Amino acid sequence: MITTDICIIGAGPVGLFAVFEAGLLKMRCHLIDYLPQVGGQLSEIYPQKPIYDIPGYPEVKAQELVDNLMDQIKPFKPTFTLGERVDHLAKQEDGSFIITTNDKTQVHAQVIVIAGGLGVFEPRKPALENLEAFEGKGVTYMVKNPETFRDKNVVLAGGGDSALDWTIYLAKIAKRVTLVHRNETFRGAPDSAAKVFDLASNGKIDLILSANLKEISGNGKLETVTLETKNKEELNLEADYLIPLFGLSPKLGPIADWGLNIDKSAIEVDTRDYSTGVDRIYAIGDINTYPGKLKLILCGFHEAAIMMHSAFKYVYPDQKLSFKYTTVNGVNAF
Ligand SMILES: Cc1cc2nc3c(=O)[nH]c(=O)nc-3n(C[C@H](O)[C@H](O)[C@H](O)COP(=O)(O)OP(=O)(O)OC[C@H]3O[C@@H](n4cnc5c(N)ncnc54)[C@H](O)[C@@H]3O)c2cc1C
């Protein structure tokens, strides 16, 4: 079991900055995110898009902001569980919580901060009859650890940036990579599409266009992926892994069942400290709602600062908190 002062659900920009605000008050954080990387919407949806409304940055690329936030919180040594979804929350007799993820990781924390943004980004799944039977047995929707695919036959499906990027990456380590796409052209970055066409023409990958996934089969684990081409021909591919990358759609997910006040998929909070009405549970960033709420990164940063000052009383019940600027205390590492 992981033990921490504050467990932050969601490692988007707001969850990350909350670590800094907690660290200034000597509170340790553990973050959990369903995505395999930190950065939330910024890293997942628009890493190369410039952002113009972060104070002090006339322009910053989304991924650069995430990288800078990671640098900023480094002194406070946050710990992470990535690629896992928080499913369950159990209140303990002393008021603290035990959180459990879908992979059964458990975190014990005095305070829970929900910085879950738009919710869990659930993968869009292909319509294959026996898909669920092969999930975790060859079918996977994200690349958590590329080494899993070393020397394996991997079939990727999709036409966006993730499908292109992972095809390029896995071509270097897999035994054979096949990319299947239902169209002739790609939605992803033209530069990446050009690299994929190059790899195919040099025989480094197999590229099968205008084809759809039709069937998967195997004995206890995935062995064959069957495709259907636009001419209704069937193709059988030997496969250890199938990675359908058809995009992600956000859902509030399990958080909706935790007894919080939910209004249109957002958690209602008290703007004095962004508490949820359930003792020791706070909600900050895009996931919360209150009169006048703006879904902006800088608003989430503000909420994180106020919220952590309120949470201090649960972590240090015997201490009185007095407000100080960072110039007085400095950023003291743990
Ligand atoms: C195209 C686009 C452009 C934008 N441009 C700007 C801009 O220029 N300026 C600006 O200020 N804002 C912009 N925004 C909005 C900005 O991205 C959001 O306000 C910001 O991402 C909110 O941060 P967050 O940390 O609250 O949530 P997110 O970034 O959504 O992160 C939340 C994280 O929580 C995780 N999560 C949720 N539930 C669970 C669970 N149960 N278990 C585990 N993990 C969970 C998710 O996987 C996600 O990674 C833009 C948004 C989009 C889509």
Side-chain angles (χ1 to χ4, degrees), residues 66-116:
V66 171
D67 295 344
N68 286 348
L69 285 166
M70 287 297 279
D71 274 352
Q72 192 171 17
I73 64 178
K74 214 182 255 165
F76 302 122
K77 300 192 179 75
T79 49
F80 294 87
T81 299
L82 296 177
E84 294 183 27
R85 184 187 60 225
V86 173
D87 271 357
H88 192 66
L89 193 62
K91 189 148 199 155
Q92 306 302 291
E93 262 179 27
D94 65 355
S96 64
F97 288 93
I98 293 181
I99 267 186
T100 309
T101 72
N102 59 325
D103 277 358
K104 307 278 177 265
T105 300
Q106 291 205 305
V107 181
H108 179 244
Q110 297 302 323
V111 172
I112 304 298
V113 178
I114 305 175

Side-chain angles (χ1 to χ4, degrees), residues 155 178-181 206-217 223-239:
V155 177
T178 306
L179 175 61
V180 182
H181 180 38
D206 293 318
L207 179 60
I208 304 180
L209 299 172
S210 297
N212 283 305
L213 299 175
K214 174 143 196 263
E215 226 172 76
I216 48 177
S217 55
E223 285 166 13
T224 309
V225 174
T226 306
L227 311 180
E228 186 179 72
T229 67
K230 66 175 174 194
N231 306 325
K232 302 282 173 217
E233 277 165 358
E234 283 195 4
L235 278 178
N236 286 326
L237 305 176
E238 204 184 311

Side-chain angles (χ1 to χ4, degrees), residues 86-158:
V86 173
D87 271 357
H88 192 66
L89 193 62
K91 189 148 199 155
Q92 306 302 291
E93 262 179 27
D94 65 355
S96 64
F97 288 93
I98 293 181
I99 267 186
T100 309
T101 72
N102 59 325
D103 277 358
K104 307 278 177 265
T105 300
Q106 291 205 305
V107 181
H108 179 244
Q110 297 302 323
V111 172
I112 304 298
V113 178
I114 305 175
L118 304 175
V120 176
F121 288 90
E122 294 281 0
R124 292 200 183 91
K125 299 184 180 183
L128 294 173
E129 212 174 273
N130 49 358
L131 187 69
E132 275 177 20
F134 288 99
E135 286 177 347
K137 292 175 183 148
V139 173
T140 180
Y141 304 100
M142 52 170 95
V143 179
K144 272 203 225 173
N145 175 9
E147 280 303 310
T148 311
F149 306 98
R150 183 172 287 280
D151 301 327
K152 303 287 182 195
N153 287 312
V154 182
V155 177
L156 293 116

Side-chain angles (χ1 to χ4, degrees), residues 169-208:
Y169 190 91
L170 294 178
K172 288 181 266 181
I173 58 174
K175 183 170 169 197
R176 195 69 192 161
V177 168
T178 306
L179 175 61
V180 182
H181 180 38
R182 62 183 173 167
N183 295 326
E184 292 286 324
T185 52
F186 289 100
R187 276 190 327 279
D191 190 39
S192 311
K195 275 195 197 132
V196 164
F197 282 118
D198 261 7
L199 286 170
S201 55
N202 292 327
K204 300 270 192 305
I205 62 161
D206 293 318
L207 179 60
I208 304 180

Side-chain angles (χ1 to χ4, degrees), residues 8-16 32-35 37-46 49-54 65 81 83-87 101-102 114-121 251-255 258 284-288 293-301 303:
I8 302 177
I9 304 171
V14 176
L16 293 178
I32 306 177
D33 204 298
Y34 193 35
L35 293 172
Q37 77 279 333
V38 301
Q41 294 172 54
L42 283 70
S43 302
E44 186 59 35
I45 304 179
Y46 58 98
K49 187 187 92 72
I51 306 177
Y52 301 104
D53 53 357
I54 302 298
L65 178 62
T81 299
E84 294 183 27
R85 184 187 60 225
V86 173
D87 271 357
T101 72
N102 59 325
I114 305 175
L118 304 175
V120 176
F121 288 90
K251 298 211 170 57
L252 194 53
I255 292 168
W258 292 348
I284 55 175
D286 277 15
I287 194 104
N288 74 14
K293 167 75 182 178
L294 290 178
K295 287 189 180 184
L296 286 175
I297 298 163
L298 80 99
C299 297
F301 288 171
E303 294 163 11

